[in-house]
Amino acid sequence: MYDDLLRRSISEYSGQARAWESQSIISREERDALETVHRRLLADEDHWIIDARRITPLQTILSGATWLAVVATVLTVWMLRNELGPTWRWLLPAYFTLTLLLAGHVARRQREPLAAATFLAGAALAIAPCTLALLAELHVFTVPALHVKQLFPETFTTSKCYGVAHGARGVRVRLGR
């Protein structure tokens, strides 16, 4: 239905553009430019959607840096935990997460929606491992429940992971607004 309506409307606009050219209201080049746009709209969606969504090198760097910070947070919490001192175990993940949150906040204030969305999405993903690291150092939820198989038996109890997941979900909902 939408496709038929779009085709009908574009056909009318193309006819109108030809009429304007014959009345010397627009030039032949302007009519050709309009018809090019009309053809792109009528073409398969794949072509014009890809053209409209090209990613610049700066956006690629921005996304790459954000995901690098998220991966660094996760690796710091799970892989480097035993090699870091007690303070660094929670401070490094908190630093990465807060940096992403602050960058997202600044980008949002400067009306940069793509940058804000990228940074805040990264922060939303980094919040869970950061909170896990903090709870582990504060020794909160450290006693595992009886007869419950633990997801990460040594440091992160299932109840701790469950609580952090729900807390991170709440923060993600809040960041999405």
Side-chain angles (χ1 to χ4, degrees):
M1 183 173 144
Y2 173 75
D3 197 35
D4 292 338
L5 179 65
L6 179 67
R7 289 186 188 286
R8 224 175 309 129
S9 297
I10 289 177
S11 177
E12 289 173 17
Y13 292 138
S14 293
Q16 197 172 30
R18 283 191 294 278
W20 289 342
E21 182 198 5
S22 68
Q23 297 170 0
S24 299
I25 295 174
I26 62 173
S27 68
R28 179 172 176 77
E29 291 81 24
E30 290 170 320
R31 181 188 57 97
D32 289 343
L34 285 172
E35 285 185 350
T36 300
V37 170
H38 294 157
R39 276 195 303 274
R40 290 178 83 192
L41 288 172
L42 290 174
D44 289 335
E45 290 184 15
D46 297 343
H47 304 294
W48 68 272
I49 286 178
I50 290 172
D51 286 344
R53 295 183 181 168
R54 290 223 168 110
I55 297 176
T56 66
L58 184 59
Q59 291 168 338
T60 305
I61 291 169
L62 173 73
S63 296
T66 300
W67 292 117
L68 187 62
V70 171
V71 169
T73 301
V74 171
L75 291 178
T76 301
V77 171
W78 273 282
M79 306 283 289
L80 296 177
R81 176 168 180 71
N82 296 332
E83 298 178 27
L84 296 172
T87 305
W88 291 109
R89 289 179 188 165
W90 66 269
L91 192 60
L92 283 175
Y95 170 76
F96 292 134
T97 304
L98 289 174
T99 300
L100 290 171
L101 278 171
L102 182 63
H105 178 70
V106 169
R108 185 182 251 180
R109 288 188 147 252
Q110 292 181 351
R111 303 209 188 292
E112 294 287 340
L114 182 64
T118 302
F119 287 132
L120 292 176
L125 291 173
I127 283 173
C130 176
T131 307
L132 268 176
L134 186 60
L135 291 178
E137 290 309 311
L138 294 175
H139 303 290
V140 177
F141 300 125
T142 54
V143 179
L146 295 173
H147 307 295
V148 175
K149 183 172 173 118
Q150 299 302 307
L151 187 60
F152 302 104
E154 295 170 10
T155 307
F156 307 114
T157 62
T158 300
S159 58
K160 190 181 298 185
C161 293
Y162 185 72
V164 166
H166 282 292
R169 182 175 159 254
V171 170
R172 287 180 189 131
V173 168
R174 178 71 181 126
L175 285 177
R177 292 183 184 172

